[in-house]
Amino acid sequence: MVDSDTGSLVEVRNFTKRYRKATAVKGVSLSIRAGEIYGLIGPDGAGKSSLMKAVAGVLSFEGGSIDAFGTRIDSEAAAEQVKGQLGFMPQGLGLNLYPELSIEENIDFFAQLRQVPRKRLAERKARLLAMTRLAPFRERRMKQLSGGMKQKLGLICTLIHEPRLVILDEPTTGVDPVSRRDFWSILAELLRERGITALISTAYMDEAARFHRLSLMYAGSVLTTGEPEQILAEVPGSIVSLQATQQIVALSRLEQHFQQVEAVGRELRTFVPDLPPTAAAAKVSELLQGLEYSQLQTYPPELEDAFIALLYRRKLVHPAQATPATPNTPQAAQGEIPDDPPPKHDGIAIEARGLTRDFGPFRAVDQISFKVCEGEIFGLLGANGAGKTTAIKMLTGILRPTAGEGRVAGADMRRASQEIKERIGYMSQAFSLYRDMTVMENIKLYARIYAVPRAQSRQRIAWVIEMAGLHGVENRLAGSLPMGIRQRLALGCALVHRPAVLFLDEPTSGVDPIGRRRFWEILVRLARTEGVAILVTTHYMSEAEHCDHLALMYAGRIIADASPADMKAALKTEAGELLELTTDQPLKALEVLDQAEFSGVALFGKHIHLLAPDPQQAREHITQLLAAKDIQLLDMQIRVPSLEDVFVYRILSQERAEAAA
Amino acid sequence: MNIQRAWAVAWKETREILRDRLFLAMAFVVPTMILVVLSYGLSFDVENIPFAVVDYDRSTLSREYLHRFSDSRYFDFQGEARDVRTLETLLAKGKIRFAIIIPPRFQRRLLADRNIAVQSLIDGVFPYRTQVSKGYIAAINANFNADLINGYLVDKFGLRPDQARAAIQPVQLATRYLYNQAIRSGWSLSSGLIMLVLMVSPPFLTALGVVRERENGSIYNIYASTVTRGEFLLGKLLPYIGISAINVLIVWLLAVYLFGAPFKGQPLFFFFASIIYVICTAGIGLLVSLIVRTQAAAALLTMVIAFIPAMLYSGLLVPIESMSQETQIEAHLFPALYYLRIVWGSFLKGLGWSVLWVDVLALAVYAVLLWTIGFISFRKRPRQ
């Protein structure tokens, strides 16, 4: 039953959800059409989960209405009526599965709950297991599966009764890039084959292209709704990127004119609203007169730029979140501060030499080696469970390595003196703040814990507040602050004793894009002006661009280690250009291209990405292949590969090499 | 009610429990542990009380007097001290619980037909033990006096010892202890503790089982599917009832074979009543699971609302009749009381259906009530 008035499967009108007194979602409306993949994109606390649970009939709500399959979901009894046609996967990787049961037992349990007839179950199970390549592991307990496998098993369990609508809450968070791509292609295929409709949420802005239509959500409201292209069109403008010799000075100058300026590695990236590329480039050059810069380029804005622009437009940004990290001090404007390239620090601040750690028979970290210089931002990337946190714990001396050694400032961390340990700042995954203490009290406490001399402590605390942009919230309770500010406070606390080396474990997880940008701005300043060596882990591939140097961890090992630019360059030499194809039948085209053995073939919404050494030659080949199947090639463009493209390629090469060996 | 779906939930739950070693151990080891530890630790028999003496007389009679204490199975003679100060130190350190001090001229005064005071110092920290000790000491002292008079009568008037005895104690009390003939508290306690064990373990497991699903998020599989709450609750209940049924047998065997408690009643009746009780206490666990969100909180709350009232209001430690009026009403509101009657009735008194049916009925009403509340408050579409 599709609602005949609107032609939609799910109709949400003015939906409002409150938890006690706090309003989590206010007045959200959207409609999901049959057969589409509908996305909800937004940071933690945007209200995505509440909305999805309410649609799935597992959460009651206070205002508005939800109709699914023509039934108004306003009571438990009404919700029960539609649950047979729904599949719901809650947030948290594999958390809704049963760790002690095997893959097959998990599937069987879901099938029994849904009363799938035995014969049909056998067919579906065989097909889904083959498709997800989980068939060889059907006896394996769920708790022994990798993140990617858990996620695929979760998908099978949600789809085993072939619902007409699947609701998946952040299915790709924390999964490695290859599994993420795998997940999207399996999902696309299943949805097409069975005509299933999907409502999917994500915190990754770069996944927007996977959806037919989407709603951008923030703090309980929908910012905008539409096809990805439509949303981008709402925020006209251009991105201008360049490399300035005096990066911080250039940054400060541009910040006075534009709301969205960020330092991404060596690049300065500016969103110039309303101007076409050439005019935007001209405007930026004009503003930077007198400064040295090179490699000026223009790009179309991405969804994250649009998201932030919309936030500013709707005035939804918290004032404290929007103030620049360091107020534009007169010195900065005059270029008097010690400026970049950073004071030439050649010293190696952090070094891992064959670092290894076993937990029982499981090797969490497998002989990793790398160096981080003073003033460098080093990114350790990988999925949940790749070994990032274990590596950091060994380098900070919290965990003893099984083999190899970690050195900080030249000292082996196993035997390092207290003095060395005091030169380290560490911000753990779960920010260790005291939520019922004020911002000031937290900073003072850390100053005492790190034994900052009384004479200096005043000045250090003032510096922390300045640097982390905590003016005006000094007397607020830490627990009452928005996520983004709390995380800057945690950073400030880790810096109060002026460490020369800083370790950050997933500092931006769950923080909204503006908060993330602000945070990175602070890190860049720390590295460039204070010469702090920073080692940061993240599972946001888009954040990796900020780092000077990257190491990709996969299953406990480092499988790539270079600067972002070098990594992309290497991809180009090894595998060729990234091509984006637009066809009239994307799924069919995907199948044809996959069989033709192009590398890196992946579906992004309506578009297909693939890698080809010679674009011209590839175009002819592709046109031929597609024409043979009556598929029209509408467009083909060369795209700049993202780091995710790089990592997917690296991981797959690694797997192939291992399979061959 | 679709039995297949309920069965699917029960089967899944069983397999999870069997494979989760920690949980499995908790299911079976904890009840056994409670029974064994508390049976040994909570014994109310006052035996082997350590004591010491100071004998300033050192005569035949004083030695004979003291022998009566050191020969008693209730007392444990620690030796003779030099002076009273040593005794006080021993008492303060808890090395002895009481002391006897015999003054000089004990024998001389007695032989001269005069009275004499013997001093006894008793540790009063634990009033129950103090009272019992005092009773024993007084009894031994009375006995000594009676023997003295007895000897006097025999010597002075030429009476036969039995005549003399009849003259001193014309009325004798003949006591017969029923149900627990040896008045061993171990019998009552080890069987009574079955009540406590089955009050703690089933709600503990049930609460953790439900809360664990909520904590993980797997409860959403239930919420989002067409399984009804009745099917879910039934499926969830069955494995825990099964485990508890096995535990009933284990604790029964322990009480009978390890602690030597007699079982005089009807095994089938006892087993049936125990299952009703287990369903009832598991219902308490269900209610706990509806209130709390984390496993830790579930464990804590179960302890507070199950363990403590069962200890205090069941009649296990303090007889119901000696409680105040209000406390008695509270005790009757709690299922432990009825089951304790069933346990002691079955173990010690050999009672069955004909007498205990009221208590079984009370438990059944309780169980139905708890599960109905649980059923009504379980929401597949909660507020948060």
Side-chain angles (χ1 to χ4, degrees), chain B residues 125-137:
Chain B
V125 167
F126 191 27
Y128 173 73
R129 202 173 46 203
T130 314
Q131 289 298 335
V132 175
S133 304
K134 189 195 154 204
Y136 289 159
I137 296 167

Side-chain angles (χ1 to χ4, degrees), chain A residues 17 60 83 96 105 115, chain B residues 2 19 221 223 379 382-383:
Chain A
K17 172 69 203 166
S60 64
K83 280 178 186 172
N96 70 320
E105 285 166 338
Q115 298 199 282
Chain B
N2 182 309
R19 288 175 194 177
N221 303 334
Y223 289 167
R379 295 253 153 259
R383 239 175 249 253

Side-chain angles (χ1 to χ4, degrees), chain A residues 351-362:
Chain A
E351 188 181 8
R353 285 190 201 160
L355 214 49
T356 301
R357 174 72 200 201
D358 295 335
F359 293 109
F362 173 66

Side-chain angles (χ1 to χ4, degrees), chain A residues 423-449:
Chain A
R423 299 192 57 196
I424 295 177
Y426 176 43
M427 179 175 154
S428 65
Q429 234 162 357
F431 321 141
S432 43
L433 289 175
Y434 296 88
R435 300 170 64 102
D436 41 11
M437 278 168 47
T438 66
V439 168
M440 197 49 138
E441 285 165 347
N442 265 294
I443 303 173
K444 280 184 177 164
L445 175 71
Y446 276 89
R448 282 199 290 273
I449 288 176

